Amino acid sequence: NTYYLLHLTGKANNASRFVIDSFGANTYPLISGRMGRGSASAPAAAANNDVLMRIAGQGYTGTQFVSSSPSKIDFVATENFSDTNRGTAIQFWNTPNGSNTIQKIAQFNASEVSFTGTVNPTKGFIYTPVIYPGAQTAITLDISDGPLVRAQTSTGLTVTLSNFVAGKMVELWVTNTSGTNQTFTHGISAINSTTNSTTYAIPSTSTICARYVCLDGTLSNTMVSVIHT
């Protein structure tokens, strides 16, 4: 039939299975979907937004299996394909309760992940902190890297910022281990700082939190809030 190369129906009241076994070093089962424009005799390159492969889950409605998938995973081209350019994304689509309209909930690109809707981890996010060993006098804060950074100082600390990413927030916790006040130079202009200066005096044996927020991917529009309680 049109659109059907193979149609398998399992026995009633039995789970249907398709099993692929593979044995040996560096071997694995493979399910591969290959898509090109043109025809089998005259193929042409895949183009931007072409679905290269689709995995779909469909349920019987009582009258039919609907052609529009209530749940699917799409492997999609994100640029016109060539031998050197082959950008792709993986898209996840689901249908909300009480609806028959499928919606994209997540997209995984090579450099980012985007979600539509609420991300709701039951136990919250767990971050991997960047921890500097021992007392530091100067550190480089990578805005694109981990969101939680820990450092100590005994003679003062100067921060330099790098790799700005729009919309990213980073928290830096600094402990002054000395018995006297030490100068914290946060690396942001005075006007973009809650201290209204480029430095903050950390009291002896105290900890502060410097919360950096990058608004547009530049140093000039990165803000810092120094919190000390």
Side-chain angles (χ1 to χ4, degrees):
N1 297 328
T2 304
Y3 302 122
Y4 286 85
L5 296 177
L6 179 66
H7 184 165
L8 304 176
T9 301
K11 292 183 178 181
N13 302 314
N14 284 268
S16 298
R17 295 178 175 87
F18 189 84
V19 180
I20 305 175
D21 291 333
S22 179
F23 301 94
N26 301 317
T27 64
Y28 48 85
L30 171 66
I31 299 175
S32 178
R34 307 195 304 178
M35 179 271 173
R37 293 202 171 195
S39 64
S41 58
N48 188 34
N49 292 322
D50 280 349
V51 177
L52 307 178
M53 180 176 176
R54 172 171 293 170
I55 301 172
Q58 300 174 333
Y60 194 69
T61 66
T63 59
Q64 61 179 328
F65 285 109
V66 292
S67 58
S68 59
S69 307
S71 186
K72 66 181 181 181
I73 302 173
D74 282 349
F75 300 79
V76 183
T78 54
E79 61 182 348
N80 294 334
F81 266 38
S82 69
D83 288 340
T84 56
N85 301 317
R86 290 170 284 182
T88 56
I90 303 176
Q91 299 175 349
F92 289 78
W93 298 72
N94 285 308
T95 303
N97 290 343
S99 171
N100 61 5
T101 302
I102 195 167
Q103 298 180 9
K104 184 169 69 174
I105 186 65
Q107 176 162 317
F108 292 75
N109 293 73
S111 59
E112 65 179 14
V113 179
S114 59
F115 295 93
T116 302
T118 302
V119 179
N120 186 25
T122 304
K123 297 183 179 180
F125 292 103
I126 299 175
Y127 300 112
T128 301
V130 176
I131 301 176
Y132 286 88
Q136 303 292 315
T137 58
I139 63 173
T140 298
L141 195 63
D142 188 340
I143 298 297
S144 69
D145 202 2
L148 189 61
V149 181
R150 175 79 167 97
Q152 300 179 65
T153 187
S154 60
T155 58
L157 181 67
T158 298
V159 175
T160 302
L161 289 88
S162 67
N163 296 327
F164 300 93
V165 177
K168 182 70 183 295
M169 179 183 293
V170 177
E171 285 193 1
L172 167 63
W173 290 79
V174 183
T175 297
N176 174 13
T177 60
S178 76
T180 58
N181 291 1
Q182 296 299 325
T183 300
F184 170 62
T185 304
H186 50 62
I188 304 295
S189 65
I191 196 173
N192 286 350
S193 166
T194 57
T195 66
N196 199 30
S197 69
T198 60
T199 62
Y200 180 80
I202 308 177
S204 62
T205 62
S206 294
T207 298
I208 66 167
C209 172
R211 181 174 296 155
Y212 294 85
V213 180
C214 185
L215 299 180
D216 68 352
T218 66
L219 174 62
S220 61
N221 278 299
T222 298
M223 312 295 176
V224 63
S225 173
V226 178
I227 305 165
H228 180 215
T229 58

